């Protein structure tokens, strides 16, 4: 399986002299697309109703659980990144920690899959799920991940989104009260002026 994983990686990985436009596009997808997640979650909280805010918190919880599982996998199985074994080409500076699964994709897809579980956010969840594909390609193209790392991220994300969705009735009430209290305290002057929603 490892030989197959490496062979697939070499199909996606950049050549020694990639086209500058392709390289720039890969850098953008690998490094910057992930920022849509916190921006969307923050916007959903700031402009949404109480129901929407709870869905944002559930997605945040899914992302945190997904990253925790991802880190645990990395601790239990130290799988070297392609550049650490001299495989292919590398164009993205990265620490030589375990490659499996991809933390970037785990976070992206944990939030996306959490959105998919709710009818009102399904279109956004689908869009973010699809946005994970160029991110996955880019991180293989730039030489920091294997295809199996992406498959692992999808599996971890699905598990974390499902767990948080099923457990939301238990953890959401206290979490929402806590988050609302912190928000109200930090932004009290702006809320009083009507510049932000209560």
């Amino acid at each position: 399986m490892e030989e197959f994983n490496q062979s697939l990686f070499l199909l996606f990985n950049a050549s020694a002299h990639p086209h500058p436009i392709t390289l720039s596009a890969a850098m953008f997808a690998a490094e910057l697309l992930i920022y849509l997640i916190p921006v969307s979650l923050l916007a959903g909280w700031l402009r949404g109703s109480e129901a929407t805010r709870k869905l944002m918190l559930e997605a945040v919880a899914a992302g945190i659980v997904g990253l925790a599982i991802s880190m645990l996998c990395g601790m239990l199985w130290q799988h070297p990144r392609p550049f650490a074994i001299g495989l292919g080409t590398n164009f993205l500076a990265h620490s030589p920690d375990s490659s499996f699964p991809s933390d970037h994709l785990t976070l992206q897809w944990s939030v996306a899959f959490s959105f998919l579980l709710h009818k009102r956010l399904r279109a956004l969840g689908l869009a973010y799920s699809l946005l994970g594909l160029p991110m996955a390609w880019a991180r293989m193209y730039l030489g920091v991940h294997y295809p199996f790392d992406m498959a692992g991220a999808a599996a971890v994300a699905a598990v974390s989104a499902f767990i948080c969705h099923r457990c939301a009735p238990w953890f959401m009430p206290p979490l929402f009260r806590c988050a609302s209290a912190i928000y109200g305290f930090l932004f009290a002057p702006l809320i009083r002026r009507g510049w932000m929603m209560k």
Side-chain angles (χ1 to χ4, degrees):
M1 289 294 283
E2 186 61 23
E3 185 177 340
F4 179 58
N5 192 25
Q6 292 181 5
S7 297
L8 280 179
F9 163 76
L10 292 173
L11 290 176
F12 290 104
N13 188 223
S15 64
H17 304 285
H19 193 284
I21 293 178
T22 306
L23 186 60
S24 296
M27 287 289 190
F28 176 83
E31 299 260 76
L32 299 178
L33 278 183
I34 192 69
Y35 289 103
L36 287 173
I37 293 296
V39 168
S40 297
L41 294 171
L42 183 59
W45 176 272
L46 294 177
R47 304 304 304 170
S49 63
E50 179 178 323
T52 299
R53 288 179 174 183
K54 288 180 178 179
L55 297 184
M56 297 300 109
L57 281 180
E58 184 180 317
V60 169
I64 292 171
V65 170
L67 287 176
I69 296 173
S70 178
M71 290 178 193
L72 181 61
C73 289
M75 290 170 57
L76 295 176
W77 183 39
Q78 289 291 321
H79 188 265
R81 294 180 184 273
F83 62 82
I85 60 172
L87 184 67
T89 57
N90 174 248
F91 291 95
L92 183 62
H94 203 291
S95 60
D97 56 349
S98 181
S99 74
F100 182 89
S102 166
D103 290 339
H104 273 71
L105 266 296
T106 296
L107 177 59
Q108 175 80 16
W109 280 332
S110 291
V111 172
F113 294 170
S114 179
F115 287 170
L116 282 172
L117 293 172
H118 300 280
K119 187 176 181 180
R120 61 191 298 183
L121 295 176
R122 202 154 286 159
L124 186 60
L126 179 60
Y128 280 178
S129 297
L130 294 176
L131 271 178
L133 298 178
M135 188 186 298
W137 161 79
R139 297 187 74 79
M140 292 184 288
Y141 182 82
L142 297 172
V144 295
H145 277 294
Y146 301 94
F148 283 13
D149 298 341
M150 306 310 168
V156 170
V159 168
S160 65
F162 178 76
I163 289 173
C164 290
H165 181 62
R166 292 300 297 269
C167 295
W170 289 278
F171 74 78
M172 186 54 65
L175 179 61
F176 183 73
R177 285 194 298 271
C178 181
S180 297
I182 293 171
Y183 167 72
F185 175 76
L186 292 177
F187 297 100
L190 300 179
I191 294 171
R192 282 197 299 269
R193 289 178 174 85
W195 295 351
M196 297 179 73
M197 293 180 63
K198 186 174 181 180

